[in-house]
Amino acid sequence: MDSLRTALVGGEACEVCGRLPHPRRLRLTVAKLLAVFPVELALHALVLAIHPPYVVAVAVLVITTTVLVIWVVEPSAMRFLRTWLHAPHAQPGTGIDALWRIRVTLPDSVGSLERLAHGLATVDANILGLHVHTVEDGVRDELVVSAPDSVRSGALSAVVEDSGGGDVQVWPTTALALIDGQTKALSLAARVVADPTELPHAVAELLGAQLVTDRALLAGPLPSDRTILKIPSPWTGFFAFTRPAEPFTPAESARAHRLAQLAEQTRVLPL
């Protein structure tokens, strides 16, 4: 299962749009400086030690440095420092230091959400968005919260667990997570009606998941943790989607299957 996840998902992409947040300018500058400085220093030291003619020295430095930095050093450094570069962003002008997505299973009883809200308040975390999914052992709540930049995912997880939550998952996110879910679903449904071949892309966007393109990875039994979802396809038998470490809820599965039905019905409509 780990090999499947590694093959399908990489980086610290936004859980909503699938894109990496744009790095902060200062962090990007520091990262590029860290990448370029050792190469520049080594090449200059080598050229000074050899003492070639002035024109040759300049040409060697310019060409070699440019090729190494653009094609080798800088891309490697950007990949190595990806997590640090794409840390949760401050939201300027809103007083929000960082945004986090939290998924937690709570008892389906009066006061459970209130206890969670009080617990989050102890670390100055404020609930900005909430979606509730019914599951077998209670309710699966998905929250978007703002918290001071000093609060890390471990602290949020501990607070949520102390408030009675189970199976807690926390990720950094962006303001795109606050987009109204109903509006988004209707927009994607309209996309599928206009072009049924958009079905896999619409489902992936709706669920914040990755489309499985290598069927060989699905040859064995599917994992029992519900991190892979299959829906019928009007063309190829089925589509499969993965969302490592974030199980699909029954409600999400129902939405994906409804989009698949919509694509099938649209495909067979007479022109």
Side-chain angles (χ1 to χ4, degrees), residues 19 33 46-47 67 79 101 112 116-117 131 134 148-150 153 171 182-183 189 193 196 216 219 222-223 228 238 245:
R19 299 178 180 177
L33 180 62
L46 180 62
V47 168
V67 170
R79 286 193 296 270
R101 279 183 70 204
S112 59
L116 176 60
H131 293 283
T134 302
D149 194 48
S150 58
S153 60
W171 305 269
Q182 288 80 4
T183 301
V193 169
L222 294 180
I228 291 184
F238 69 90

Side-chain angles (χ1 to χ4, degrees), residues 11-199:
E12 298 294 326
C14 170
E15 296 292 336
V16 177
C17 67
R19 299 178 180 177
L20 292 171
H22 187 71
R24 299 176 184 176
R25 182 174 299 177
L26 177 60
R27 293 192 178 195
L28 188 60
T29 301
V30 171
K32 290 186 175 183
L33 180 62
L34 290 174
V36 172
F37 180 77
V39 177
E40 293 273 9
L41 182 63
L43 286 175
H44 278 77
L46 180 62
V47 168
L48 290 176
I50 297 175
H51 294 296
Y54 178 76
V55 176
V56 175
V58 172
V60 169
L61 285 173
V62 170
I63 295 174
T64 307
T65 303
T66 302
V67 170
L68 284 176
V69 168
I70 292 178
W71 294 101
V72 180
V73 178
E74 187 172 323
S76 299
M78 296 303 105
R79 286 193 296 270
F80 181 74
L81 299 172
R82 175 181 294 183
T83 301
W84 178 71
L85 280 171
H86 299 282
H89 283 202
Q91 309 296 318
T94 64
I96 299 174
D97 296 305
L99 293 177
W100 299 87
R101 279 183 70 204
I102 299 175
R103 277 201 168 192
V104 54
T105 300
L106 294 174
D108 190 9
S109 59
V110 177
S112 59
L113 183 58
E114 183 180 0
R115 287 192 296 273
L116 176 60
H118 283 306
L120 290 170
T122 62
V123 291
D124 294 327
N126 183 36
I127 298 176
L128 302 178
L130 171 65
H131 293 283
V132 179
H133 309 274
T134 302
V135 293
E136 293 179 359
D137 51 349
V139 290
R140 187 71 171 161
D141 286 359
E142 180 175 339
L143 305 93
V144 178
V145 305
S146 64
D149 194 48
S150 58
V151 177
R152 297 291 179 250
S153 60
L156 289 172
S157 297
V159 164
V160 173
E161 290 174 354
D162 291 343
S163 302
D167 192 16
V168 180
Q169 298 166 315
V170 180
W171 305 269
T173 188
T174 70
L176 290 174
L178 297 172
I179 294 175
D180 177 68
Q182 288 80 4
T183 301
K184 181 179 180 180
L186 288 172
S187 299
L188 292 174
R191 245 172 73 184
V192 171
V193 169
D195 182 2
T197 62
E198 283 289 302
L199 172 64

